Amino acid sequence: MPQAGYPATRLRRNRRADWSRRLVRETTLTPDDLIWPIFVIEGTGERSAIAAMPGVDRLSIDLAVKAAEHAATLGLPAIALFPNTDSALRDEAASQAVNPGNLVCRAVRAIKAEVPDIGIICDVALDPYTSHGHDGLLVDGEIDNDKTIEVLIAQALVQAEAGCDILAPSDMMDGRIGAIRAALEENGFTQTQILSYAAKYASAFYGPFRDAVGSGQQLHGDKKTYQMDPANGDEALREVALDVAEGADMVMVKPGLAYLDIVWRVKEAFKLPTFVYQTSGEYAMLAAASERGWLDRERVILESLMACKRAGADAIFTYFASEVAKRLKDAR
Ligand code: PBG
């Protein structure tokens, strides 16, 4: 028996030495857990900085191919491509979204040709292509669900045709997963995976991303009529249940850090591949505070990603992916 006044259990014993901490660690982070989002622009040898995302550049296709090669070398399983479309090409109908020769489709083809073994993920949503910056079509001042789905289907098909491995509808229209799945099957794309942005919130954490793809200044109003209310949790489970029933192979919760309760609930309830998006705003917070010397960059990045995994995420979209993968590799 312990002497009176002494703890019967000393949890600090296991924490005392580094080897012991490694031995009892419950969660691990590896490059296999990370997906690297890359912003694509027109041109050759072009890169342009994004004001609120220090360290992240938009890349022309040739440089995006180089980035994909680098990602493969680091052991990252997949990248996600986001096009910044020339504003002159954006219109009310999002017509560039369904152009098989658009920027993102050309990027997919170029990367597939040079780096065949890395997975490529593309958003299915109209915001890079609409003149008003919304993810869907505006009809009489409202985002029209069913008319939008018709365009999303065509967009999904041109992206699948280009060689995209995982289509990621991020538009939050009702019923789009089932409609896209059916169209993929009918057109022979039976192996194209669907990652549904199932629980995507109307969040202020997307600000820098909208600058990166050039849809921010164009955006009229907000996205609250289709993206979820940050106040809701149960509703996220309904969104996921519907998307899974409609044929999603994987689901996503977005944003990350402020929504890890949702990640946990979704993983617990569905036991499906559950991804989380560490958004542009989260990147900006960590990068800016680190730049000022207010946070320890390396530690805070790893801690934030580890927290996502501990909450149940199987993989994380993060702009830190290549930096972290390199560090994890060097540490081996
Ligand atoms: C587009 C889309 C957004 C993000 C991914 N896909 C922005 C939005 O919905 O407004 C956000 C990514 C980020 O902030 O890093 N539908």
Side-chain angles (χ1 to χ4, degrees):
M1 283 297 287
Q3 270 186 279
Y6 287 91
T9 306
R10 293 183 186 271
L11 291 176
R12 289 184 55 188
R13 263 181 226 124
N14 287 347
R15 294 178 200 143
R16 188 161 161 260
D18 179 64
W19 62 262
S20 179
R21 291 192 294 271
R22 289 188 345 248
L23 206 55
V24 301
R25 189 157 293 149
E26 298 173 36
T27 310
T28 52
L29 188 67
T30 82
D32 288 338
D33 303 317
L34 308 176
I35 293 160
W36 193 20
I38 296 174
F39 297 109
V40 188
I41 50 174
E42 293 290 356
T44 309
E46 293 282 340
R47 60 169 68 233
S48 69
I50 301 156
M53 300 182 77
V56 178
D57 290 339
R58 306 177 191 90
L59 305 175
S60 55
I61 291 177
D62 56 318
L63 298 186
V65 171
K66 292 267 182 306
E69 278 166 3
H70 181 55
T73 309
L74 291 172
L76 293 171
I79 55 174
L81 301 178
F82 294 98
N84 179 312
T85 309
D86 191 334
S87 58
L89 293 175
R90 298 176 198 230
D91 57 26
E92 290 270 326
S95 39
Q96 276 300 308
V98 304
N99 174 358
N102 70 17
L103 179 58
V104 80
C105 289
R106 279 181 280 126
V108 171
R109 285 198 185 87
I111 293 169
K112 272 288 152 197
E114 297 295 325
V115 199
D117 293 332
I118 200 158
I120 302 185
I121 304 174
C122 291
D123 255 32
V124 182
L126 305 184
D127 54 303
Y129 307 106
T130 51
S131 42
H132 44 66
H134 278 291
D135 294 29
L137 300 180
L138 267 180
V139 178
D140 298 332
E142 288 202 33
I143 300 299
D144 189 298
N145 195 84
D146 299 5
K147 288 206 168 64
T148 297
I149 289 181
E150 289 171 24
V151 185
L152 295 175
I153 290 171
Q155 178 185 27
L157 290 174
V158 297
Q159 292 180 169
E161 176 68 41
C164 174
D165 300 292
I166 303 182
L167 294 170
S170 71
D171 56 288
M172 291 297 281
M173 298 302 117
D174 288 317
R176 88 283 202 215
I177 300 297
I180 291 170
R181 186 71 263 164
L184 290 172
E185 299 295 317
E186 278 162 25
N187 288 276
F189 298 111
T190 54
Q191 303 305 318
T192 305
Q193 291 154 274
I194 296 182
L195 162 62
S196 164
Y197 283 71
K200 178 171 176 180
Y201 287 85
S203 170
F205 284 110
Y206 309 152
F209 174 96
R210 292 180 190 166
D211 172 35
V213 299
S215 68
Q217 278 160 325
Q218 328 246 357
L219 184 63
H220 297 254
D222 57 49
K223 301 191 178 184
K224 291 179 187 169
T225 70
Y226 44 106
Q227 298 181 347
M228 283 181 60
D229 183 341
N232 295 354
D234 293 342
E235 191 188 349
L237 301 183
R238 296 187 70 194
E239 284 283 4
V240 172
L242 284 169
D243 289 359
V244 172
E246 291 175 31
D249 300 290
M250 309 142 164
V251 294
M252 179 118 80
V253 173
K254 184 176 167 211
L257 217 44
Y259 295 82
L260 294 185
D261 57 322
I262 308 298
V263 174
W264 177 260
R265 290 176 69 179
V266 166
K267 188 66 185 176
E268 284 289 294
F270 296 93
K271 310 285 184 206
L272 281 172
T274 303
F275 296 179
V276 64
Y277 203 132
Q278 183 178 55
T279 53
S280 57
E282 296 167 74
Y283 177 91
M285 289 197 299
L286 300 182
S290 304
E291 258 185 13
R292 294 196 167 200
W294 292 348
L295 288 175
D296 178 332
R297 182 180 173 104
E298 295 200 356
R299 289 185 56 207
V300 84
I301 292 170
L302 284 185
E303 186 178 330
S304 65
L305 296 173
M306 189 66 83
C308 293
K309 283 217 67 192
R310 195 194 60 237
D314 296 291
I316 308 157
F317 279 63
T318 173
Y319 301 96
F320 295 116
S322 65
E323 173 179 342
V324 169
K326 182 163 188 320
R327 211 178 323 139
L328 292 173
K329 211 169 175 229
D330 292 348
R332 292 228 154 182

